[in-house]
Amino acid sequence: DVYNRVVTPLCGYACGMEGCCFVNTGDSYVNERDVNENGKRCGGNNNKTENTREVKRRLTGIKALKAHLRMEHGMTLCDLCVDNKRNFVYNLQRFTPQGLKKHENDKQEGHPLCEFCRPKRFYDIVKLHEHLNKEHYKCHICEKQGRPNQFFKDYKMLEKHFDRDHFMCHDAQCLAARFVVFENEIDLRAHEQGVHGTTRRDGGTKIKLEFRVRREGEHIEQVLPTGEDFQFG
């Protein structure tokens, strides 16, 4: 009795709302036609008139649970928690639409937003950083200079930043190769002389020194990017 009453629900997709007996098994399901066409489920849990037009493919599992919660209780689940949280779906919190928005924006338990991909959210800052580093671009020069998390939507925006705030090589081959940029003018001129055999375009020799050195042992922990870290050019 304890196993059926306590353990079994944990492994399935039962409703979980107090007083609701929807267990989401083979004899308890949501009819897909009722969800799509009527907005709420008609009749009981079972509809076995297989030869009528009324019967469409059954919704089962997590899809049936979500449809049931929406139609019968006006509630929903957080998809990111369902996919990532180490807990049984039965134990996950059910939310009203307003409650879900509040949950997503919570600074402690919420899900960070990618400003470049609005309204796409991620489970935590680790997942957000994985996305940013895979799908977008981060300035490695700013990182060296102690300004982490300077992200750009695409390389075009990053290149503008390189040209505006750092020392980028404008040789055609280097522009095609991308990421040929330096912290200071000394390194840029050394690159131009060593790789391209050129000097300053104006023939001068005076070099403007602009570079920062990170202190030895300085360690920057991964933090949640702020709005200012998302660069739109």
Side-chain angles (χ1 to χ4, degrees):
D1 289 342
V2 174
Y3 182 87
N4 291 330
R5 179 165 45 87
V6 178
V7 179
T8 300
L10 293 177
C11 300
Y13 295 102
C15 175
M17 297 292 292
E18 185 176 357
C20 184
C21 60
F22 180 78
V23 294
N24 203 359
T25 63
D27 293 328
S28 176
Y29 64 90
V30 178
N31 189 293
E32 187 179 43
R33 176 188 180 278
D34 295 332
V35 175
N36 292 338
E37 297 182 11
N38 300 333
K40 66 178 183 178
R41 179 167 51 82
C42 301
N45 278 337
N46 242 343
N47 186 345
K48 296 185 178 180
T49 313
E50 300 293 343
N51 294 324
T52 70
R53 286 187 176 182
E54 304 301 318
V55 177
K56 298 291 184 181
R57 181 174 62 86
R58 297 177 179 179
L59 289 179
T60 59
I62 189 67
K63 290 183 179 180
L65 173 59
K66 289 178 179 178
H68 168 81
L69 288 171
R70 182 178 69 253
M71 294 184 296
E72 300 297 336
H73 305 288
M75 305 291 280
T76 187
L77 291 165
C78 173
D79 289 335
L80 287 169
C81 287
V82 170
D83 293 338
N84 297 277
K85 198 164 189 176
R86 295 182 178 180
N87 203 344
F88 295 103
V89 172
Y90 184 81
N91 287 335
L92 295 180
Q93 186 175 350
R94 275 63 171 154
F95 299 97
T96 62
Q98 296 77 15
L100 179 61
K101 289 183 180 180
K102 184 177 179 180
H103 163 73
E104 290 176 337
N105 291 308
D106 186 90
K107 291 184 179 180
Q108 299 296 325
E109 299 294 330
H111 307 298
L113 183 75
C114 176
E115 296 289 345
F116 300 133
C117 302
R118 280 180 173 270
K120 190 172 184 178
R121 291 181 178 272
F122 297 85
Y123 181 66
D124 54 21
I125 64 171
V126 174
K127 294 293 185 181
L128 174 59
H129 273 274
E130 288 177 358
H131 164 78
L132 288 170
N133 284 289
K134 181 180 179 181
E135 301 297 334
H136 303 294
Y137 291 84
K138 180 166 64 174
C139 178
H140 62 284
I141 300 296
C142 286
E143 191 87 9
K144 287 182 180 180
Q145 295 177 339
R147 297 175 59 220
N149 299 326
Q150 299 301 301
F151 291 102
F152 297 81
K153 183 176 182 180
D154 50 38
Y155 185 76
K156 183 179 179 181
M157 294 295 102
L158 177 60
E159 188 177 58
K160 288 182 179 180
H161 165 74
F162 284 160
D163 196 30
R164 181 181 64 239
D165 298 324
H166 301 302
F167 296 87
M168 185 175 71
C169 179
H170 288 83
D171 182 86
Q173 288 183 329
C174 288
L175 289 175
R178 309 199 309 177
F179 298 101
V180 184
V181 61
F182 303 90
E183 291 185 67
N184 55 75
E185 193 172 357
I186 290 178
D187 290 342
L188 173 60
R189 301 311 170 201
H191 161 82
E192 289 177 334
Q193 180 65 39
V195 176
H196 307 299
T198 59
T199 57
R200 285 181 52 178
R201 294 169 186 162
D202 59 7
T205 59
K206 190 175 180 180
I207 294 177
K208 181 181 178 182
L209 297 180
E210 288 187 12
F211 59 93
R212 294 172 56 190
V213 179
R214 184 183 296 178
R215 295 188 299 272
E216 286 295 326
E218 182 178 353
H219 174 68
I220 298 176
E221 295 183 356
Q222 190 178 62
V223 296
L224 179 65
T226 65
E228 296 178 353
D229 293 328
F230 293 91
Q231 309 293 329
F232 293 90

